[in-house]
Amino acid sequence: MLEKSFDPKTAEPRLYSAWEASGAFAPIADPDAEPFAIVIPPPNVTGSLHIGHALNNTLQDVLIRFERMRGKAALWLPGTDHAGIATQMVVERQLAAAGNATRRDLGRDEFVAKVWEWKAESGGTITNQLRRLGASCDWSRERFTLDDGLSAAVRKVFVKLHKDKLIYRDKRLVNWDPQFQTAISDLEVEQREVDGHFWHFAYPLEDGSGEIVVATTRPETMLGDTAVAVHPSDERYKHLIGRAVRLPIVNRPIPIIADEYADPEKGSGAVKITPAHDFNDFQVGKRHNLPQINILDDFARINENGPRDYQGLDRFAARKKVVETFEELGLLRGIEKTRHMVPHGDRSGVVVEPYLTDQWYVDAKVLAQPAIKAVEEGKTVFEPRHWEKTYFEWMRNIEPWCISRQLWWGHRIPAWYGPDGKIFVAETEAEARAQARELYGRDEPLRQDEDVLDTWFSSGLWAFSTLGWPEQTTDLKRFYPTNTLVTGFDIIFFWVARMMMLGIHFMGDVPFHRVFINALVRDAEGKKMSKSKGNVMDPLELVDEYGADALRFTLTAMSGQARDIKLSRERIEGYRNFGTKLWNAANFCQFNGCARAEGFDPAQVKGVLNRWIIGETVRTAQTVTAAIETCGFDGAANGLYRFIWNSFCDWYVELAKSILKGEDGAAKAEMQATSAWVLDVILKLLHPVMPFLTEELWRQTADLGAARAEPMLISARWPDLSEGLIDPKAQAEIATLVAAIGGGRAVRSELGVPGGARLPALEVVDASAEVRRIFETNSAIIQTMLRVDAISFVSAPSAGAVPFIEGADTYALPVAEHIDIAAEKVRLAKEVAARASDIAHVMKKLGNPDFLARAKEEVIEENRERLEEAEAAKAKLEAALARLEGMN
């Protein structure tokens, strides 16, 4: 017997253990089964589950459970990323907190050993949290970007790309984090708006005939200036192009050059050029063959290239000293307050410097061409499709990819240096030594490159390295290319594009056929979640409070492609109630003897109500199947919600009561068998979204009637229902009943008729013979559900009856004795006026270009939703008022 209610706290761990122990998460061995593979976007090994992970992994799980039930060899391959800078930071902080030596005190080998110790003890946190969410990954195939197999793949790729001249060493600008003393990727740079200043400096012309004024927010960088640029068409400076200024403090002559980078409309129209400390200036410097003078060391202190009395100063102390010196020299022309964006390391929190260093690079432009073509030709498609534009824009303007990091935790670059600086790139030190011996004619000491590879390099191989490459494994042959990648828009550049480039280059085919870009989860007001705002929602807390299924259903139902998700506890609670509604309906079925009948054939059902619910079940199965196939997750969830809550739990269960309590044994038996059949189909359709509750219902209803073919729902076959089971006549008949009862209930509610009041009749106006037959046949049900004493067939509504129209039919309810019609008209008119005022106010806002330009996107969206709600409420009130006005 079913328990009174579903208890997620006890059921979820028990069910998950049973799934895992059964081997259901592994792809079926059938060699003829169509493969369907998803590789997980590997979370950082340092990480904990956040709400974005919850959304992303829920959608992946919906897909994989769906395809598993469809009989495919479904593989969801899990794993974690070593997360170089993040993991190194965690362990360094632990060392500091314990009062132990720094990593530099420990030395590389001992420090890396400490990181491995931490990984062994704490690195599995997020994978255990994914289990709590219900993620049905094949944990037997779990990978880690630093495991032996993936490390071998990384070395092989590096060596091959170097041999193909697609990896090289170069001196270029990088994002430099002075706290960690490493280059970082653009993704690890956070732009923050801060208070600052524009300092206006005068640079005297070398011949003493005047000066040129430049402005900067970073005065210390002027120590590395190598030119002043003006626009070639700026009449104010045309006569100065080709001449020189004497750089103050440094006392070095630098040229005045013409370059379109200088904007005549900005400031003085002249800009200082520091190629070693600004990305735009670096490009200007390349165009004009300017010297690149790096004036900072790894800690962002002034180095030996700065004036003697500046050397060793921190960059901000140097900034203050530069400004003071310009003032003393009489060359400070003004200070202007400003708010501007300044790059910060997202983990260190310090200001990031554009910094000129020797690094390893990938020729991304060459690798990008086949990856662009693959999307152009539709070999890989993005959903929603507009993200292809983002992909193309970045790929067609791609820059060399800096892949080296000045860290100790990660894949150490497989390059060794000879005593003369000659570089030997090889998969092993032994191979490098053999190369050196061949060059030098003898053994020479070699030094391995100290740097490690960017984590995006190893994760760029994820779609094939996790399947065993470079070995030609069975998994690689069976599951590459994978089918679908589910990920966020923020890593299209950093991960999706790099997997495309490397997958095509090394495997000769795209790594996945479809990329689904999931939405961003915001708070209930549409604001981005952040710790500083205090609006972060912890998915594990939500699972504790509402159960994993309620959170999963909420995220799935709200994951529409058009907008971000506004998550609230009220929504999650509502979907928990949806699960409770289904549980109660199952309890009702069990209480009323509903059980699976041996050899039950839905095509042979005779009762109209049963034929109707079978048809609705078929329609829902079609809707859900088509939606999940196309990643329309919200369409699937909302279709399930409407069918289960409205069609099955409300209408079918309510309409069935009179038959289940009646004397007709054959009709009762058919309804009991039909109910059990529909409930089984519901559990299958709902399982990918709400796996725990459905599996528990499947388990607890196992002994009701005929045995099922599948003991566990996770391994059950997806419903494949014939279109022929839809009976249009039954659909029309029950739809007429549902419309009349639903419309009548709405009228009672809108006009404030007391809930317990019984009305004299439901009046059916000008009924056709078919409509009359439907209402005569089902009069008892209608009287009970609408709380009326009779069904009347009339040519026009009686006096005091409110008419309402549903479809092609007109009805009326006599309500005069239960409400004050005059007062109700006044109330409704006031409500309509109030809504009209709200609508006018919001429309005025949304029609104001200044408001649209200044307001945050979430505020604009909130107003649009408010307008939509007000218009819907007004229409409903106007309809109610019109009904009263139309009374006889």
Side-chain angles (χ1 to χ4, degrees):
M1 289 294 289
L2 266 175
E3 294 170 8
K4 185 178 180 182
S5 61
F6 177 62
D7 179 17
K9 282 187 170 61
T10 58
E12 288 175 0
R14 169 172 47 79
L15 292 170
Y16 196 91
S17 294
W19 288 331
E20 197 166 0
S22 75
F25 295 165
I28 56 176
D30 181 359
D32 296 325
E34 180 185 343
F36 183 94
I38 297 175
V39 289
I40 200 169
N44 286 356
V45 71
T46 59
S48 289
L49 195 73
H50 59 62
I51 202 68
H53 288 135
L55 169 65
N56 179 265
N57 286 281
T58 292
L59 299 184
Q60 290 178 81
D61 198 43
V62 169
L63 264 180
I64 211 73
R65 286 178 183 270
F66 167 70
E67 296 294 2
R68 184 185 290 129
M69 294 176 76
R70 294 216 292 175
K72 294 184 183 179
L75 169 63
W76 185 11
L77 202 152
T80 49
D81 190 284
H82 64 278
I85 196 167
T87 306
Q88 183 161 312
M89 181 183 72
V90 166
V91 177
E92 286 195 76
R93 283 180 177 170
Q94 286 182 344
L95 290 173
N100 294 329
T102 66
R103 69 179 169 102
R104 296 186 187 279
D105 294 330
L106 290 176
R108 185 175 195 130
D109 291 344
E110 191 175 343
F111 176 76
V112 169
K114 290 278 186 192
V115 184
W116 277 109
E117 283 176 21
W118 174 86
K119 193 263 179 188
E121 292 171 9
S122 310
T125 299
I126 196 163
T127 55
N128 290 326
Q129 292 170 340
L130 285 171
R131 286 173 163 90
R132 290 199 59 198
L133 190 67
S136 59
C137 303
D138 183 358
W139 299 108
S140 70
R141 286 173 164 87
E142 184 178 357
R143 303 305 299 268
F144 177 53
T145 48
L146 272 178
D147 69 28
D148 290 342
L150 269 65
S151 295
V154 166
R155 291 192 297 271
K156 191 171 191 70
V157 166
F158 186 97
V159 172
K160 180 69 167 65
L161 290 176
H162 183 267
K163 185 178 180 181
D164 294 343
K165 301 192 181 337
L166 293 172
I167 280 183
Y168 57 92
R169 196 156 170 79
D170 195 11
K171 187 182 288 289
R172 294 174 62 90
L173 280 188
V174 295
N175 299 305
W176 187 262
D177 188 313
Q179 177 164 318
F180 292 124
Q181 296 97 52
T182 182
I184 60 175
S185 73
D186 289 343
L187 191 64
E188 294 161 317
V189 175
E190 183 181 280
Q191 296 290 342
R192 299 182 190 172
E193 190 176 28
V194 300
D195 290 319
H197 298 86
F198 272 118
W199 284 275
H200 297 263
F201 294 154
Y203 287 6
L205 293 170
E206 189 179 22
D207 60 10
S209 62
E211 64 184 33
I212 193 166
V213 176
V214 298
T216 181
T217 57
R218 299 162 66 215
E220 68 282 3
T221 63
M222 60 80 51
L223 300 173
D225 284 358
T226 56
V228 171
V230 297
H231 195 278
S233 63
D234 193 333
E235 294 295 336
R236 295 170 295 176
Y237 300 117
K238 271 190 173 180
H239 66 291
L240 295 178
I241 295 170
R243 295 169 64 181
V245 296
R246 183 154 292 277
L247 187 63
I249 302 176
V250 179
N251 200 31
R252 180 175 68 241
I254 59 174
I256 299 170
I257 61 174
D259 195 280
E260 291 185 353
Y261 170 62
D263 185 351
E265 304 299 320
K266 272 185 162 183
S268 67
V271 290
K272 58 188 282 303
I273 303 298
T274 321
H277 294 285
D278 182 276
F279 288 102
N280 291 315
D281 292 6
F282 180 76
Q283 297 300 329
V284 175
K286 283 175 67 178
R287 287 195 290 271
H288 296 271
N289 199 28
L290 297 174
Q292 300 169 340
I293 303 175
N294 182 6
I295 52 102
L296 296 176
D297 66 12
D298 291 357
F299 295 87
R301 299 172 302 208
I302 304 300
N303 65 16
E304 68 279 1
N305 293 327
R308 186 174 295 279
D309 55 343
Y310 280 79
Q311 291 175 14
L313 283 181
D314 175 78
R315 55 187 162 160
F316 298 119
R319 175 178 298 181
K320 185 178 178 184
K321 187 175 177 70
V322 165
V323 174
E324 288 173 350
T325 304
F326 264 85
E327 191 166 23
E328 291 167 6
L329 294 171
L331 298 175
L332 182 62
R333 295 291 176 261
I335 303 175
E336 178 187 346
K337 287 186 177 180
T338 186
R339 291 275 297 170
H340 64 131
M341 304 304 289
V342 175
H344 289 70
D346 66 342
R347 298 188 184 279
S348 66
V350 303
V351 175
V352 169
E353 288 290 338
Y355 188 57
L356 190 67
T357 62
D358 290 306
Q359 302 283 349
W360 289 92
Y361 289 89
V362 170
D363 188 341
K365 197 163 193 66
V366 170
L367 290 175
Q369 302 317 305
I372 292 169
K373 187 179 179 184
V375 176
E376 288 173 338
E377 294 178 348
K379 292 178 181 175
T380 295
V381 297
F382 281 76
E383 297 290 351
R385 294 301 285 265
H386 67 80
W387 288 112
E388 288 182 4
K389 182 181 177 184
T390 303
Y391 173 85
F392 287 137
E393 188 175 329
W394 188 72
M395 291 288 271
R396 288 167 181 159
N397 296 283
I398 200 165
E399 291 288 325
W401 170 17
C402 176
I403 56 170
S404 45
R405 297 291 182 267
Q406 290 63 55
L407 302 170
W408 288 353
W409 173 246
H411 294 103
R412 194 162 176 184
I413 289 176
W416 285 261
Y417 298 87
D420 57 356
K422 174 69 177 173
I423 301 175
F424 303 95
V425 172
E427 292 184 46
T428 65
E429 184 174 352
E431 290 175 14
R433 291 193 176 282
Q435 292 177 22
R437 192 179 304 115
E438 186 176 342
L439 177 70
Y440 298 126
R442 60 186 178 278
D443 287 332
E444 289 283 359
L446 299 181
R447 173 182 57 85
Q448 187 174 359
D449 197 304
E450 293 288 323
D451 292 350
V452 299
L453 286 162
D454 175 15
T455 53
W456 296 108
F457 189 87
S458 51
S459 59
L461 317 180
W462 189 250
F464 56 96
S465 64
T466 52
L467 294 170
W469 188 91
E471 300 297 325
Q472 295 303 303
T473 63
T474 302
D475 275 359
L476 188 67
K477 292 172 186 173
R478 191 181 192 193
F479 294 112
Y480 190 95
T482 65
N483 185 280
T484 301
L485 180 73
V486 182
T487 190
F489 69 89
D490 53 336
I491 55 174
I492 290 175
F493 312 140
F494 300 97
W495 191 45
V496 178
R498 284 159 183 173
M499 281 202 290
M500 287 289 288
M501 291 189 286
L502 294 168
I504 292 171
H505 189 79
F506 284 94
M507 296 296 298
D509 201 351
V510 295
F512 25 74
H513 295 301
R514 175 173 61 180
V515 180
F516 178 77
I517 303 297
N518 60 249
L520 182 68
V521 187
R522 298 179 179 271
D523 71 8
E525 296 176 3
K527 294 176 182 173
K528 190 172 180 178
M529 293 188 190
S530 71
K531 290 179 182 177
S532 60
K533 291 177 184 172
N535 63 347
V536 171
M537 298 179 79
D538 183 342
L540 297 172
E541 287 181 9
L542 297 172
V543 168
D544 284 340
E545 187 170 355
Y546 303 105
D549 287 325
L551 177 60
R552 287 171 61 109
F553 198 97
T554 306
L555 294 170
T556 307
M558 299 180 72
S559 66
Q561 299 183 1
R563 59 180 64 184
D564 289 337
I565 292 172
K566 292 184 180 179
L567 189 63
S568 67
R569 288 179 177 272
E570 291 74 21
R571 286 270 195 175
I572 302 169
E573 185 175 6
Y575 287 124
R576 180 187 62 186
N577 295 343
F578 165 68
T580 302
K581 180 97 169 175
L582 175 59
W583 188 275
N584 291 341
N587 244 323
F588 168 85
C589 291
Q590 190 178 51
F591 180 77
N592 284 278
C594 300
R596 290 178 299 283
E598 194 73 48
F600 176 79
D601 182 0
Q604 300 302 313
V605 165
K606 294 181 173 59
V608 172
L609 182 57
N610 293 328
R611 296 204 309 274
W612 168 75
I613 196 63
I614 287 168
E616 289 296 290
T617 304
V618 173
R619 288 183 192 278
T620 302
Q622 291 173 338
T623 297
V624 174
T625 301
I628 300 179
E629 280 181 333
T630 57
C631 291
F633 300 104
D634 58 328
N638 292 320
L640 284 164
Y641 185 92
R642 286 190 298 270
F643 170 65
I644 294 169
W645 189 291
N646 298 329
S647 301
F648 183 69
C649 295
D650 279 355
W651 295 111
Y652 181 69
V653 167
E654 287 301 315
L655 293 169
K657 284 179 180 176
S658 61
I659 298 173
L660 290 169
K661 292 176 182 176
E663 300 299 323
D664 187 337
K668 182 177 180 178
E670 182 184 271
M671 181 150 282
Q672 289 169 328
T674 301
S675 300
W677 179 85
V678 172
L679 183 60
D680 272 4
V681 176
I682 283 173
L683 296 181
K684 291 178 180 181
L685 295 176
L686 185 59
H687 179 73
V689 188
M690 300 184 88
F692 291 109
L693 177 133
T694 52
E695 187 73 73
E696 185 69 354
L697 277 172
W698 189 264
R699 186 186 72 83
Q700 292 199 31
T701 57
D703 58 353
L704 296 181
R708 298 190 185 105
E710 310 98 340
M712 295 185 78
L713 181 56
I714 191 173
S715 303
R717 290 306 294 253
W718 188 255
D720 183 14
L721 306 177
S722 168
E723 179 89 16
L725 291 174
I726 300 173
D727 181 343
K729 187 176 179 182
Q731 298 288 300
E733 181 167 334
I734 302 301
T736 299
L737 287 179
V738 166
I741 296 168
R745 285 173 167 176
V747 168
R748 292 180 63 123
S749 173
E750 289 165 8
L751 300 182
V753 176
R758 291 195 67 83
L759 303 183
L762 169 67
E763 298 178 354
V764 186
V765 182
D766 284 335
S768 66
E770 176 61 14
V771 169
R772 190 178 187 113
R773 182 194 67 78
I774 291 170
F775 281 88
E776 286 176 343
T777 304
N778 297 283
S779 60
I781 292 172
I782 297 166
Q783 289 173 45
T784 299
M785 295 186 73
L786 197 51
R787 299 190 69 80
V788 295
D789 292 331
I791 307 294
S792 299
F793 299 98
V794 298
S795 58
S798 63
V802 177
F804 62 98
I805 298 171
E806 295 294 334
D809 302 310
T810 301
Y811 309 95
L813 282 175
V815 297
E817 65 180 271
H818 294 287
I819 63 171
D820 183 333
I821 294 173
E824 192 62 21
K825 285 181 180 179
V826 171
R827 181 187 73 79
L828 289 170
K830 283 182 178 177
E831 289 276 0
V832 168
R835 292 294 188 279
S837 175
D838 286 346
I839 290 167
H841 177 69
V842 178
M843 287 184 73
K844 186 177 179 182
K845 258 188 183 182
L846 293 173
N848 183 345
D850 287 342
F851 171 75
L852 295 176
R854 287 184 292 101
K856 292 182 178 178
E857 182 56 40
E858 56 260 32
V859 175
I860 295 171
E861 182 62 24
E862 187 181 326
N863 275 272
R864 286 178 181 146
E865 288 177 1
R866 184 178 161 195
L867 176 63
E868 193 177 310
E869 289 167 6
E871 287 176 333
K874 178 171 173 279
K876 195 173 178 182
L877 290 163
E878 286 174 331
L881 183 57
R883 289 191 186 107
L884 290 180
E885 299 288 359
M887 287 175 64
N888 292 332

